[in-house]
Amino acid sequence: MLSKTLTLENETGLHARPATELAKIAMKYPCDIKLIANGKTVNAKSPLMIMSAGIKQKTEVEIQCDGEKEEEAMQEIEEAFKNNFGE
């Protein structure tokens, strides 16, 4: 299992569009991917679950990838965070 803590820099937080982008990335990989923020652990393959976590700008988010292709999944998710999900 890989685990990494990233800080969300998006001004608007993980609202519908970036949550959907993150879920699309997560769904490409067979491993389990979880986000942990604000005391909640959610499935990163579900945009609704991501939005329910209420992740705002400057929030630290722990990403956990566990299983096949976990390294590739973590790398792509990290890139998405760095690029502010294209916003």
Side-chain angles (χ1 to χ4, degrees), residues 29-58:
Y29 297 96
C31 58
D32 289 327
I33 303 173
K34 294 185 170 85
L35 301 181
I36 302 168
N38 303 322
K40 294 181 182 176
T41 301
V42 297
N43 181 348
K45 295 182 181 186
S46 168
L48 291 176
M49 293 298 290
I50 294 168
M51 288 186 293
S52 76
I55 302 170
K56 307 273 186 234
Q57 183 182 30
K58 300 293 183 195

Side-chain angles (χ1 to χ4, degrees), residues 9-69:
E9 298 295 339
N10 274 34
E11 283 185 31
T12 53
L14 280 179
H15 60 87
R17 202 197 64 69
T20 301
E21 288 300 311
L22 180 55
K24 280 182 189 174
I25 292 168
M27 284 187 266
K28 293 188 334 188
Y29 297 96
C31 58
D32 289 327
I33 303 173
K34 294 185 170 85
L35 301 181
I36 302 168
N38 303 322
K40 294 181 182 176
T41 301
V42 297
N43 181 348
K45 295 182 181 186
S46 168
L48 291 176
M49 293 298 290
I50 294 168
M51 288 186 293
S52 76
I55 302 170
K56 307 273 186 234
Q57 183 182 30
K58 300 293 183 195
T59 300
E60 287 196 344
V61 181
E62 182 181 347
I63 313 294
Q64 292 181 345
C65 298
D66 188 21
E68 189 180 342
K69 297 193 176 187

